[in-house]
Amino acid sequence: MTHQPPVDEPTTRRRQLLGRLPLPERTFITDALRTETVGGVLLLAAAVIALIWANVWPHAYENVLDHAVGPSAPLHLHLTLGEWAEDGLLTIFFFVAGIELKREFVAGELRSPSAALLPVTAAVCGVAIPAVLFAVTNSGSGGHPGGWAIPTATDIAFALGVLAVVGSHLPSALRAFLLTLAVVDDLIAILIIAIFYSSGIRFWALGLAVAGLVLFWFLHRRGVHGWYLFVPLAAVIWALMHESGVHATVAGVAMGLMLRCHREGDEQHSPGEHIEHLVRPLSAGLAVPVFALFAAGVTISGSALGQVFTQATPLGIVLGLLVGKTVGIFGGTWLTARFTRAELNPQLRWADMFAVSVLGGIGFTVSLLISELAFPGDPALADRSKTAVLVGSLLCALVATVLLKLRNRHYRELCEEEDRDLDGDGIPDVYQQDDPAWRAWVGEFAPRAGDDRTDGGPGPSQ
């Protein structure tokens, strides 16, 4: 899965899956994943603090969680701190997800149908199989099929946090696949939340929110700048979306998708890239960890853990994350290779893809959010679902760690080869092959002088 340089090759050569990334795309992904990795470690720390707080001082945790602040009129924003974290802070997370999605369509893997086929198929299968497993597990009289979407999400920050903690040197091609998979996964999660977990639509508020989005798009496309204009406008759009009955995080996604993510003229960075560069640390370092602090605090006891494996709803979540996501992601990847006659990068094995598929079963942030949305009238069931999300994600992390550690020496060698720059010119030696076409291609898309980031190469204007 890579953008090939313009060299004359036999038309019968098979397309390669998980091949070497183009240099600009590799640089961009390295920068993005660095922030996500730090955020993943903070996310893990926040989850641990939440569990300790909720089990050692449960009343204090509940009092903070249920403390309400904000105006009650006219938009009914007198919300608990837990609701502010769920509806407010996660909007920042989904705003970044919207920019990532837009960039993937404009300059990333999703702009090419042939390259997009792998992560899209893997993501769709990775959503469908867990949902089916959950539905089958909850098909009896004691089941709750309404939680089918809980085990369908992949949490890239949590996965990268696990990689950082265990010290696995995952090659950039596998990291890029995991990131693109998570972006497509987020898109599916957004659609699921908007379609299945929105109720009591107030069309006057929804219409005003849409009008605000149109104004946001118009001002952005006219080249108007200034956070003092866009931040208040974004807050109004969010409040109207919240009032409309559509989940408020949809406003964040919509605004992210409206940003221009291709360069024009002599721009060093597109507006979308620039804003993502500013907001991503806020999302990964504050919004998501604080949400985890308020969402992951569930009571852990012998009976609670026993219910995870004996009751239909939590068992369906664990099976969906550990088995469903693994089978879906790996099966989707294998089917793509099988029916498109593509071949896997010879430096990798299918065992590597299987390990990454298990890692993709870590479904923390969005799964916790959907646990809240799926059972609004049954907090006890929502807590059991959250416990199942934690257990399932932990099992996926442990299994993936073992599988990745078995190949970690090989990964380290691949990473060293990717990073080696003996001539010190800032371009890894592996991109400076003797082939003139490679040299011309790298020179065309190499970072400009003074750039601290690059985009993923030229993409169609949007």
Side-chain angles (χ1 to χ4, degrees):
M1 184 182 67
T2 183
H3 305 298
Q4 296 294 341
V7 294
D8 294 327
E9 297 177 329
T11 57
T12 57
R13 181 172 178 176
R14 300 176 69 183
R15 187 170 62 87
Q16 190 179 93
L17 297 179
L18 301 176
R20 183 185 305 141
L21 296 173
L23 180 59
E25 184 72 6
R26 180 180 181 273
T27 304
F28 178 87
I29 286 175
T30 299
D31 290 344
L33 293 182
R34 186 180 296 113
T35 302
E36 291 288 357
T37 299
V38 175
V41 174
L42 293 176
L43 178 62
L44 291 173
V48 171
I49 292 172
L51 289 172
I52 295 174
W53 190 1
N55 285 274
V56 178
W57 302 284
H59 295 298
Y61 183 81
E62 292 173 3
N63 289 337
V64 172
L65 194 66
D66 295 335
H67 181 70
V69 295
S72 57
L75 295 177
H76 308 99
L77 294 178
H78 190 66
L79 308 175
T80 66
L81 292 181
E83 290 171 334
W84 277 110
E86 176 185 316
D87 293 346
L89 289 178
L90 277 194
T91 301
I92 302 174
F93 166 78
F94 279 108
F95 174 68
V96 174
I99 300 175
E100 289 177 337
L101 183 63
K102 179 66 172 291
R103 185 194 167 278
E104 286 291 335
F105 278 119
V106 172
E109 293 295 328
L110 299 182
R111 70 179 178 135
S112 166
S114 60
L117 184 63
L118 175 63
V120 170
T121 303
V124 171
C125 293
V127 168
I129 302 301
V132 170
L133 269 179
F134 183 93
V136 170
T137 306
N138 286 265
S139 59
S141 57
H144 296 81
W148 62 271
I150 297 173
T152 61
T154 292
D155 195 309
I156 183 65
F158 202 124
L160 293 174
V162 170
L163 292 177
V165 170
V166 303
S168 178
H169 297 76
L170 203 63
S172 60
L174 289 176
R175 289 177 181 263
F177 169 78
L178 192 60
L179 178 61
T180 307
L181 173 79
V183 169
V184 179
D185 201 290
D186 285 341
L187 172 61
I188 299 174
I190 292 160
L191 294 174
I192 289 173
I193 291 171
I195 296 172
F196 296 99
Y197 296 105
S198 297
S199 60
I201 304 300
R202 301 175 183 87
F203 288 99
W204 69 268
L206 182 59
L208 290 176
V210 171
L213 289 170
V214 172
L215 178 59
F216 183 96
W217 175 85
F218 177 78
L219 293 175
H220 176 66
R221 289 309 172 106
R222 295 289 293 180
V224 177
H225 301 288
W227 65 268
Y228 48 83
L229 177 63
F230 284 98
V231 171
L233 178 59
V236 170
I237 294 171
W238 174 86
L240 288 168
M241 191 69 73
H242 182 273
E243 176 68 11
S244 73
V246 176
H247 200 269
T249 54
V250 174
V253 178
M255 287 183 281
L257 287 171
M258 289 181 176
L259 296 180
R260 177 167 59 81
C261 291
H262 65 277
R263 298 181 184 182
E264 291 182 351
D266 58 353
E267 288 180 337
Q268 291 188 344
H269 310 293
S270 68
E273 287 179 304
H274 177 66
I275 294 173
E276 180 186 6
H277 188 61
L278 296 175
V279 179
R280 183 187 288 275
L282 179 63
S283 170
L286 177 65
V288 175
V290 171
F291 168 76
L293 182 65
F294 287 132
V298 294
T299 302
I300 301 295
S301 63
S303 60
L305 292 176
Q307 291 173 349
V308 169
F309 298 99
T310 57
Q311 295 187 357
T313 298
L315 179 60
I317 294 171
V318 173
L319 290 177
L321 292 174
L322 182 60
V323 179
K325 293 293 285 186
T326 302
V327 172
I329 296 171
F330 182 82
T333 306
W334 185 86
L335 289 173
T336 301
R338 174 68 177 82
F339 289 103
T340 63
R341 297 186 59 80
E343 60 184 7
L344 188 68
N345 181 346
Q347 293 181 313
L348 300 173
R349 299 176 182 173
W350 282 109
D352 302 319
M353 191 66 246
F354 185 82
V356 170
S357 300
V358 177
L359 195 65
I362 297 176
F364 190 77
T365 304
V366 177
S367 293
L368 292 178
L369 171 62
I370 297 179
S371 295
E372 293 275 4
L373 301 177
F375 309 114
D378 193 341
L381 183 57
D383 281 348
R384 289 199 297 273
S385 299
K386 291 180 181 180
T387 303
V389 169
L390 296 175
V391 171
S393 297
L394 179 60
L395 290 175
C396 289
L398 292 176
V399 174
T401 296
V402 173
L403 295 176
L404 293 172
K405 279 295 186 181
L406 294 175
R407 294 270 288 165
N408 201 38
R409 182 177 178 181
H410 177 64
Y411 296 155
R412 186 183 295 110
E413 292 174 353
L414 291 181
C415 290
E416 290 175 352
E417 178 185 355
E418 290 178 356
D419 296 333
R420 188 176 296 118
D421 182 19
L422 298 180
D423 54 9
D425 63 354
I427 299 177
D429 297 338
V430 73
Y431 288 96
Q432 296 176 299
Q433 302 181 8
D434 292 333
D435 190 333
W438 269 101
R439 290 183 176 276
W441 185 76
V442 171
E444 181 182 355
F445 299 131
R448 305 176 187 179
D451 277 11
D452 57 353
R453 297 175 66 212
T454 56
D455 67 1
S461 297
Q462 295 232 122

